[in-house]
Amino acid sequence: MLVKANNDNAASLSADQLKQLQQVIHQYSPLQLAWASGYLAAKSEGADAAALPAVAAEPQSTLTILYGSQTGNAKGVAEKVLQSAQSMGIAATLVNMGEYKPKNIKNETHLLIVTSTNGEGEPPDDAMALHEFLSSKRAPTLDSLQYSVLALGDSSYEFYCQTGKDFDQYLEKLGANRLGERVDCDVDYQADAEAWQNTQLEKVKALFAANTAQVVQLPVAGNEAATSVYSKENPFTAVILENQKITGRDSNKVVQHLEIDLADSGIQYQPGDALGIWPKNSNAAVTRIIEALSLAADESVAIDGVELSLADALISKREIGPLAKATLIHWQQLSDSEELAELLADAEQTRALINQKQFIDIVKQYPGSVSAQVLVDLLPALTPRLYSIASSQQEVDEEVHLTVGLMQFEIDGDLRAGTASSYLIEQLEADAEIDVFIEHNNNFRLPDNDSTDVIMIGPGTGVAPFRAFVQERSARGADGKNWLFFGDQTFTQDFLYQTEWQAYLKSGELTRLDVAFSRDQQQKVYVQHKLKQNAAAVYQWLEQGAHLYICGDMSRMAKDVHQALVDIIAEQGGKSQEQAEDYLKQMRIEKRYQKDVY
């Protein structure tokens, strides 16, 4: 034992030496660290330092690609940027913002940022720390940095691409120089993203003078499930095993429980992940548009060089429900409508139009003549929808479960339904085939430590991922406590998975269950009220390290729940509202407060 201790001491650095080493390597870029690692390893084997490449004297340039992604789109774009950089011989690193130390930005020379926007102009969870750092007084001068930003967003929201705009402004204010102008991408982002990528990489390649240094890819998101051959671009054709209504006969809502067979796919997922669904528009909705424009359903059109009928193109290739601003602009030009032009000149009225109307309404209200090919060219490409997975693979093996509510709304007295929810609920039955893929979400994960307590807040279909959470914790024998807040309209008609929750309560795998049924009494009660009723216990759990999760409606529920949490922390912790907000912000940075809202 004594000999071993002496050997350990001989091999280790003194406190002063360790301090000196840390001060030096703190200034290194990832590529420099990789080189230094090899250099030191060679020195330890007795290699001649003079025989090593002289690159240490003047480090090679490296491109850093940072991404902030809530649902996976920004991550996917960033990975394509890295692949293109590698193919061009550009030394590059790909880093998730959540794994990046903000202070290291002062060491960067060439930077590409790809980021989405979460909620109402908020950064994705993994981008919060860097976003806050760059806007703070601690941010360094960055006059040696050249950068460009790609922002992903949805123009139907008021704070369109806000996080990307923030990063662009922060970096400019800190003295950094743009490689190229920021590009803001709408929901149909692929073409714009590719054009931005190609332009910026050509500039970087020229600046690096055809540098062909080794590419070093940093690890991202350490707990991601195994990669499948199936993806958004190459989905798996699965089979519906069960599609069953789980709300009562007299409920105001239609909510279905779907079980989907993934057998032989090799697909793996974790609780918190989402299932991507490629939906199809209904025949009835497509027929309305074709008839309104006096076109022929069987007329041939071409999309990406492939010929198909107009009807098939509108069913499976084009968005005909949700409106895009670009579509409105093109239709105004085709219809030559002055009224529509006036609406589009006002940002607020444009957002209202996008949120309150569908393409068929625009066609009828502002008539115009268009050919079949022009029609499919002006409509955006159909995009997949993401649904929170309601099962743990530990429990259901080669299946995946969803909890889907039928989205219904009225436009000018006409009842409409959401594209994906009507496809899943009204068009598909057992044994039907459906194209799916997994969208991993490392911003909505159970704690690694099974002894950690969790508080889950999921009213309505927002309870879906928490069914997966509890199944997973049960299968793992986790000893951490689980507290679920659930809410809906009525106890008798809308208590989703009631018997399962009661069984988990009986077994002790669900520690607490607090429910709020808004229409079972004269005064409406929601989950935020139940939180406040249990304020002392909620705060105690948070102070003891519990992780907090919210899933569901972004526009109202998530805001109300967040404010209730602020009030609870302020009241129970003797803090101001600002201090309570900071408390929750720190929890988000530590990944103890996570949201999956839509």
Side-chain angles (χ1 to χ4, degrees):
M1 290 295 293
L2 181 60
V3 172
K4 183 180 187 302
N6 287 337
N7 285 340
D8 285 345
N9 288 334
S12 63
L13 300 176
S14 69
D16 287 341
Q17 288 173 322
L18 181 60
K19 185 176 179 180
Q20 291 172 1
L21 177 63
Q22 289 172 334
Q23 288 174 341
V24 171
I25 66 173
H26 181 70
Q27 305 171 33
Y28 288 1
S29 70
L31 187 62
Q32 290 170 313
L33 285 171
W35 186 93
S37 175
Y39 175 84
L40 292 173
K43 287 289 289 181
S44 70
E45 299 295 330
D48 183 2
L52 293 170
V55 74
E58 189 170 340
Q60 295 169 312
S61 297
T62 307
L63 170 67
T64 298
I65 305 161
L66 287 178
Y67 71 88
S69 186
Q70 195 69 25
T71 62
N73 287 338
K75 177 186 175 186
V77 171
E79 289 174 339
K80 289 181 179 178
V81 175
L82 176 69
Q83 291 168 5
S84 294
Q86 290 174 327
S87 69
M88 295 170 68
I90 297 172
T93 65
L94 174 67
V95 192
N96 175 267
M97 290 183 187
E99 307 295 324
Y100 185 78
K101 292 183 178 179
K103 290 183 179 180
N104 285 350
I105 199 164
K106 68 178 182 294
N107 301 320
E108 306 290 357
T109 57
H110 301 83
L111 175 66
L112 296 182
I113 287 180
V114 182
T115 184
S116 61
T117 294
N118 186 33
E120 296 192 12
E122 298 178 357
D125 287 351
D126 52 13
M128 284 192 67
L130 180 61
H131 185 271
E132 184 175 359
F133 175 78
L134 292 177
S135 64
S136 72
K137 294 180 180 179
R138 294 173 292 138
T141 299
L142 299 174
D143 50 12
S144 297
L145 175 66
Q146 297 190 65
Y147 76 97
S148 186
V149 176
L150 182 75
L152 303 186
D154 183 338
S155 60
S156 65
Y157 288 92
E158 180 179 359
F159 300 99
Y160 173 55
C161 290
Q162 187 59 51
T163 302
K165 294 174 182 176
D166 289 347
F167 277 126
D168 190 28
Q169 292 168 5
Y170 294 161
L171 292 173
E172 180 185 38
K173 188 175 180 180
L174 293 170
N177 302 296
R178 289 188 182 89
L179 278 165
E181 292 299 314
R182 184 189 75 248
V183 171
D184 297 337
C185 298
D186 212 333
V187 288
D188 192 11
Y189 59 85
Q190 287 83 356
D192 288 339
E194 185 174 356
W196 173 86
Q197 163 194 295
N198 294 340
T199 300
Q200 305 316 315
L201 290 181
E202 286 294 343
K203 291 180 180 178
V204 170
K205 184 175 181 179
L207 288 170
F208 285 9
N211 179 8
T212 57
Q214 178 186 4
V215 173
V216 181
Q217 182 173 357
L218 296 183
V220 298
N223 62 342
E224 186 160 312
T227 302
S228 167
V229 296
Y230 298 104
S231 64
K232 179 166 61 176
E233 293 77 17
N234 179 40
F236 175 69
T237 301
V239 175
I240 303 288
L241 297 172
E242 185 174 330
N243 194 346
Q244 178 183 2
K245 186 181 180 186
I246 55 174
T247 42
R249 180 183 304 173
D250 298 323
S251 174
N252 294 321
K253 301 179 178 182
V254 176
V255 178
Q256 304 274 131
H257 173 77
L258 281 80
E259 298 184 358
I260 300 171
D261 190 5
L262 301 177
D264 302 323
S265 68
I267 288 176
Q268 296 183 33
Y269 61 86
Q270 296 184 55
D273 287 340
L275 187 71
I277 300 288
W278 279 102
K280 293 181 180 179
N281 294 301
S282 70
N283 290 328
V286 167
T287 299
R288 282 199 298 270
I289 290 175
I290 291 175
E291 291 179 349
L293 293 170
S294 300
L295 297 172
D298 60 355
E299 184 172 350
S300 180
V301 296
I303 296 178
D304 297 330
V306 177
E307 289 196 4
L308 66 170
S309 71
L310 174 61
D312 287 343
L314 296 183
I315 286 171
S316 61
K317 297 295 184 181
R318 289 293 181 256
E319 292 282 8
I320 64 171
L323 279 171
K325 186 176 180 180
T327 302
L328 287 172
I329 292 171
H330 290 152
W331 189 257
Q332 188 281 323
Q333 295 168 349
L334 288 166
S335 64
D336 198 26
S337 168
E338 292 184 7
E339 181 183 349
L340 183 54
E342 290 179 6
L343 288 174
L344 292 174
D346 185 288
E348 189 172 335
Q349 292 191 73
T350 301
R351 281 194 300 272
L353 198 63
I354 289 172
N355 290 326
Q356 297 169 12
K357 301 289 183 180
Q358 293 186 326
F359 182 65
I360 184 64
D361 306 304
I362 301 301
V363 167
K364 289 182 175 181
Q365 192 167 351
Y366 310 103
S369 179
V370 64
S371 70
Q373 186 62 56
V374 170
L375 174 62
V376 298
D377 288 343
L378 72 87
L379 289 170
L382 189 69
T383 57
R385 274 47 167 190
L386 302 179
Y387 285 90
S388 301
I389 291 174
S391 56
S392 162
Q393 229 167 356
Q394 298 260 27
E395 175 81 15
V396 302
D397 197 20
E398 291 188 303
E399 295 180 13
V400 62
H401 297 179
L402 301 180
T403 311
V404 180
L406 180 62
M407 181 188 295
Q408 292 181 307
F409 46 92
E410 200 172 278
I411 298 179
D412 300 330
D414 185 18
L415 186 63
R416 310 283 176 81
T419 301
S421 65
S422 64
Y423 170 66
L424 291 170
I425 292 175
E426 298 180 328
Q427 298 184 52
L428 298 180
E429 298 179 354
D431 297 328
E433 293 185 340
I434 181 173
D435 290 337
V436 304
F437 61 93
I438 298 297
E439 192 69 71
H440 298 292
N441 184 3
N442 290 305
N443 294 315
F444 204 73
R445 286 282 184 256
L446 280 167
D448 293 332
N449 185 346
D450 282 343
S451 296
T452 302
D453 300 336
V454 299
I455 300 174
M456 303 164 284
I457 306 164
T461 56
V463 80
F466 303 135
R467 182 175 183 263
F469 276 23
V470 176
Q471 284 184 358
E472 178 82 5
R473 300 261 279 182
S474 173
R476 283 171 18 186
D479 56 356
K481 295 181 291 185
N482 305 308
W483 187 354
L484 174 64
F485 287 86
F486 173 76
D488 216 310
Q489 292 185 356
T490 68
F491 174 84
T492 58
Q493 304 295 315
D494 305 299
F495 197 167
L496 307 182
Y497 303 113
Q498 177 185 356
T499 56
E500 292 186 23
W501 302 131
Q502 290 173 334
Y504 282 126
L505 275 173
K506 186 176 181 180
S507 67
E509 291 162 309
L510 186 60
T511 312
R512 295 187 62 166
L513 173 63
D514 281 270
V515 294
F517 294 102
S518 60
R519 301 189 182 184
D520 279 349
Q521 60 283 311
Q522 186 173 2
Q523 187 171 358
K524 292 186 177 179
V525 176
Y526 299 108
V527 286
Q528 60 266 28
H529 300 131
K530 289 294 181 178
L531 282 164
K532 287 190 171 183
Q533 288 174 15
N534 293 278
V538 168
Y539 185 68
Q540 183 181 29
W541 279 47
L542 296 182
E543 283 288 277
Q544 292 173 349
H547 285 218
L548 178 66
Y549 303 88
I550 301 175
C551 182
D553 172 57
M554 173 180 66
S555 60
R556 295 187 61 181
M557 181 280 296
K559 289 181 183 177
D560 293 340
V561 167
H562 180 85
Q563 186 56 53
L565 292 167
V566 170
D567 293 342
I568 288 169
I569 293 165
E571 174 192 321
Q572 298 294 319
K575 305 178 187 296
S576 66
Q577 290 275 310
E578 184 178 357
Q579 288 171 329
E581 286 280 9
D582 289 341
Y583 184 102
L584 287 173
K585 184 181 291 185
Q586 186 59 37
M587 283 186 62
R588 288 188 68 180
I589 291 172
E590 295 171 358
K591 294 189 178 296
R592 286 182 52 218
Y593 177 25
Q594 300 181 36
K595 300 180 185 180
D596 180 9
V597 296
Y598 39 85

